[in-house]
Amino acid sequence: RSSKGSRDDRLYAPTPRPSPGLPYTTLLDATDAHPCGTIVRTGHGWLFAAGGDGPCVVRLRAHADRPGDFGGDDWADLVEVPYRSSTGAVELASLTTGSGDEDLRLGERGLYRLRVAHRPLPQTIGAVAVEEEDDEDEAREPTDLWQLDFWPVTGTVDPPRWVRRMRPAVRFVDPGWFWVLGYQAIEIANVVRWTSPGDGMTVDDLRRWGIDHYRGEAWLDQPQRMTIPMRNYPSLAEIAAQVGLREPRSRRELLPLFVALGVLTFDGSRYVGVERPPMVQDVLELPAAGVANLEAYQVTGQFTGYAADLVSVALWDGAEQSIESLAARTIGSEDDVRGALQFAEGRGLLRIDHQPEDQFVMVPLKRKPRPAVYVHG
């Protein structure tokens, strides 16, 4: 620990998800310029980190000079970024709340280098919950450890540089079933895919899951609520008809539908989740406008975080790059860089000015604000 100070605290940062109840165009401003990038983004007096579902343990440390060995091989994610402090102090806050107190004194106002390190924490079985805790999250075990090391720097700014990534810079393509079907229908498939052991779940396993998670004995056979499909997408009855089934009226009847769609498999007794389900547009017939919206949603999920990383490099004096140099700096493949640059240009985040010898300049573009609509009820 640095003699200048350190602090352990918890950070709660829920992961936002797009809602299928809104037209995709109303979600673009919220999703095509990710505030955290793939791991972390910084600016003049601010830092956003992708804390996940939390709770997390966050360790803040200040140093007079660049720290030496700190167990770098133990971290799953590791990135160094510039940070400009307007106060010389740091406060740790969640997405919506902060105490207003000083958590760590850095020193003088000015430019700092910041090393952000992250790793998941091992989860113990049967951990004792905090007694009489008002906030349910406070009783949960921390899931991740974050360590943020600050030290002052002078001279030219060194743009962000990624050292290690736990996950690929570009996400896998979301097949789009949640987007088309909505939460109520997709829930039963997600229970099978995310909570079952490798050999899947029987119907009785699913019934017990509903009881254990306070859904009730009749959870599997409760009638489905009527929902209105999004514009340019088929209804649940029309989706079932396309694969030769009648409209499912309950979660139990949804299971054969997900088998027919390729999201689950069934061996006669157990349902098993498919690791990489097929794309919606490869299974269902959709109107052209529906396919266009779906593809826009999928490409945003793929590239929004990585494109934000590239914008961050450009903003921190790293605008002049080549595909090769940018891939090395951000630990992405050259194809990833090309895809993210194309996405950023298409969303109006960057303009790419091409130079001789495979060089180019990334020019960040000012975002045009769009009017917001607030609905209360």
Side-chain angles (χ1 to χ4, degrees):
R1 293 174 181 266
S2 166
S3 60
K4 273 197 166 185
S6 62
R7 177 184 174 93
D8 283 356
D9 212 330
R10 288 186 174 187
L11 172 70
Y12 301 89
T15 303
R17 295 185 178 182
S19 167
L22 295 173
Y24 185 74
T25 52
T26 67
L27 300 171
L28 279 178
D29 283 349
T31 59
D32 65 356
H34 200 290
C36 303
T38 54
I39 303 172
V40 64
R41 288 185 72 192
T42 56
H44 291 229
W46 60 267
L47 177 150
F48 293 147
D53 293 330
C56 302
V57 175
V58 179
R59 188 180 296 153
L60 305 176
R61 312 197 308 179
H63 308 266
D65 297 297
R66 182 186 184 89
D69 181 28
F70 63 108
D73 291 340
D74 296 334
W75 299 104
D77 290 307
L78 195 59
V79 58
E80 286 194 5
V81 292
Y83 175 77
R84 192 174 297 279
S85 174
S86 58
T87 63
V90 171
E91 177 202 357
L92 180 65
S94 69
L95 184 65
T96 57
T97 60
S99 64
D101 297 330
E102 178 182 308
D103 288 325
L104 180 67
R105 169 56 56 174
L106 300 179
E108 299 296 325
R109 294 182 294 177
L111 183 63
Y112 287 81
R113 191 71 173 170
L114 168 62
R115 180 185 291 154
V116 179
H118 160 261
R119 67 169 176 258
L121 290 172
Q123 298 299 290
T124 59
I125 299 175
V128 178
V130 178
E131 295 182 1
E132 298 180 0
E133 183 57 63
D134 292 334
D135 189 335
E136 181 182 349
D137 277 338
E138 290 286 355
R140 295 169 55 197
E141 283 188 280
T143 59
D144 297 84
L145 172 64
W146 292 78
Q147 182 170 298
L148 280 64
D149 289 275
F150 299 81
W151 65 95
V153 293
T154 57
T156 59
V157 173
D158 182 16
R161 182 178 296 278
W162 282 254
V163 180
R164 187 174 298 116
R165 288 187 184 274
M166 183 172 67
R167 299 182 180 89
V170 172
R171 296 182 181 182
F172 291 110
V173 181
D174 185 334
W177 293 108
F178 173 81
W179 179 262
V180 173
L181 292 170
Y183 175 79
Q184 182 189 194
I186 202 69
E187 181 189 28
I188 188 70
N190 286 344
V191 170
V192 174
R193 295 182 63 227
W194 296 344
T195 67
S196 69
D199 58 351
M201 300 178 78
T202 65
V203 171
D204 194 53
D205 291 334
L206 287 164
R207 182 188 64 82
R208 286 197 301 269
W209 185 94
I211 295 171
D212 292 343
H213 290 80
Y214 310 104
R215 307 301 177 89
E217 179 80 27
W219 175 67
L220 275 176
D221 295 304
Q222 289 172 341
Q224 292 281 99
R225 296 191 305 272
M226 292 187 62
T227 58
I228 300 174
M230 290 198 314
R231 186 178 179 183
N232 297 317
Y233 291 104
S235 66
L236 187 60
E238 291 167 336
I239 290 172
Q242 286 196 30
V243 291
L245 298 176
R246 66 183 180 89
E247 180 182 6
R249 301 289 186 176
S250 67
R251 292 179 179 87
R252 185 190 298 268
E253 293 182 1
L254 277 167
L255 291 167
L257 175 60
F258 283 116
V259 173
L261 295 174
V263 177
L264 303 177
T265 63
F266 184 59
D267 64 4
S269 62
R270 308 186 75 86
Y271 291 93
V272 180
V274 175
E275 183 178 1
R276 293 277 174 248
M279 307 278 279
V280 169
Q281 58 267 48
D282 293 338
V283 177
L284 300 178
E285 293 184 9
L286 303 173
V291 173
N293 277 348
L294 184 59
E295 290 177 346
Y297 162 72
Q298 290 166 332
V299 76
T300 297
Q302 272 191 287
F303 290 110
T304 180
Y306 191 39
D309 289 349
L310 305 189
V311 171
S312 183
V313 170
L315 289 169
W316 281 111
D317 289 357
E320 296 185 19
Q321 296 286 338
S322 68
I323 296 294
E324 182 180 5
S325 67
L326 198 52
R329 178 173 288 275
T330 60
I331 313 184
S333 72
E334 293 187 8
D335 284 343
D336 290 342
V337 172
R338 293 186 183 93
L341 288 175
Q342 183 178 8
F343 173 85
E345 276 197 294
R347 293 292 189 269
L349 305 177
L350 291 173
R351 186 184 76 242
I352 307 301
D353 291 346
H354 295 277
Q355 307 290 326
E357 298 182 1
D358 198 34
Q359 297 292 118
F360 57 86
V361 177
M362 298 182 289
V363 181
L365 301 178
K366 185 176 181 180
R367 303 279 287 163
K368 294 181 180 180
R370 297 181 180 179
V373 178
Y374 300 92
V375 178
H376 299 274

